[in-house]
Amino acid sequence: MPAPRSTAVSSIVNLLNNVIGAGLFSMPWCLAQSTVLSGALVFVIICVLNVYSFVLLAQCCALTGCYSYLDIGKAALGPRFLTTESRPLMTAAMSCS
């Protein structure tokens, strides 16, 4: 297994890019469509879910020694991960339509 090629700085920049990029356009509209209480509650719930998913991803990296989504998928789902049969499913699951 090759050693990870990312640095702490590139990981932080990637994380900030994902967090800021996803919320930059959607969050103001979502909060404008809700009340203060429901908007704050949903915001807190989404933050907790994001932290939980990040912790799960970090645990997967620690347990498998894999540091990419592709390698973690292969470790979790076996050698048939991203074969011809699973590509349409992965494309549909990871696309924004």
Side-chain angles (χ1 to χ4, degrees):
M1 173 127 341
R5 295 182 302 230
S6 65
T7 64
V9 173
S10 67
S11 297
I12 290 170
V13 169
N14 186 23
L15 181 64
L16 287 174
N17 184 28
N18 289 324
V19 171
I20 293 171
L24 186 65
F25 297 112
S26 62
M27 195 56 107
W29 181 83
C30 293
L31 291 175
Q33 300 299 315
S34 65
T35 64
V36 173
L37 183 61
S38 66
L41 181 65
V42 169
F43 184 72
V44 169
I45 290 170
I46 297 299
C47 287
V48 169
L49 290 173
N50 281 332
V51 169
Y52 180 67
S53 67
F54 182 74
V55 168
L56 287 177
L57 186 58
Q59 287 176 348
C60 288
C61 290
L63 291 173
T64 62
C66 300
Y67 297 96
S68 73
Y69 290 117
L70 181 61
D71 291 339
I72 291 172
K74 286 179 183 176
L77 301 175
R80 289 183 49 120
F81 181 68
L82 284 183
T83 59
T84 306
E85 296 86 11
S86 64
R87 283 187 187 185
L89 175 64
M90 294 302 292
T91 302
M94 295 184 179
S95 66
C96 297
S97 55

